[in-house]
Structures are given as structure tokens and as C-alpha cells.
């Protein structure tokens, strides 16, 4: 670390630094539970999904 970083840590204290880290992670990382996970792509009546089903049904997959 640079001296400037060390001085900042000494000035603010480790409790403040830990809070900064906690806030950074909470704001920047993806949530652990995504509300609409798996529901982003509409399938009912969608020509792409029905076409995909036709292709896979005919191929035996």
C-alpha cells in the first residue's frame, strides 16, 4: 500500500474501513436472491420458444 492509503486507514480507523467495504459489496455485487430469476424470457406464445420445441421434438433430443 502507498503511504497515502496507510494514512487514510490510520485517520479513519478500521471500523470505518470495514463499513466502506460492506457498503461497496452490498452496492456492487449481485443480490443473492433474484426476484424474477427464470422468468425474464416470456415463453407462452413466443415463436422462438415454440420453434425451438419443434426442432428438439423432431430431432429426438
Amino acid at each position: 500500500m502507498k503511504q497515502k492509503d496507510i494514512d487514510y486507514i490510520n485517520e479513519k480507523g478500521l471500523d470505518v474501513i470495514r463499513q466502506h467495504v460492506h457498503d461497496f459489496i452490498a452496492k456492487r455485487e449481485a443480490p443473492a436472491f433474484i426476484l424474477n430469476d427464470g422468468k425474464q424470457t416470456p415463453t407462452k406464445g413466443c415463436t422462438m420458444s415454440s420453434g425451438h420445441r419443434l426442432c428438439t421434438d423432431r430431432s429426438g433430443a
Side-chain angles (χ1 to χ4, degrees):
M1 283 194 292
K2 296 181 180 178
Q3 186 61 43
K4 181 179 175 182
D5 298 326
I6 294 169
D7 293 342
Y8 181 82
I9 292 169
N10 289 332
E11 179 185 333
K12 298 295 181 178
L14 283 179
D15 290 335
V16 172
I17 301 300
R18 284 187 186 107
Q19 186 60 45
H20 288 177
V21 170
H22 177 75
D23 292 343
F24 179 83
I25 291 171
K27 291 177 184 174
R28 299 286 181 132
E29 294 294 315
F33 175 75
I34 300 173
L35 184 62
N36 64 345
D37 192 27
K39 299 178 184 173
Q40 295 90 340
T41 306
T43 55
K44 188 174 185 176
C46 177
T47 57
M48 290 299 290
S49 61
S50 60
H52 176 70
R53 276 196 303 275
L54 285 173
C55 291
T56 56
D57 290 345
R58 291 181 181 171
S59 67

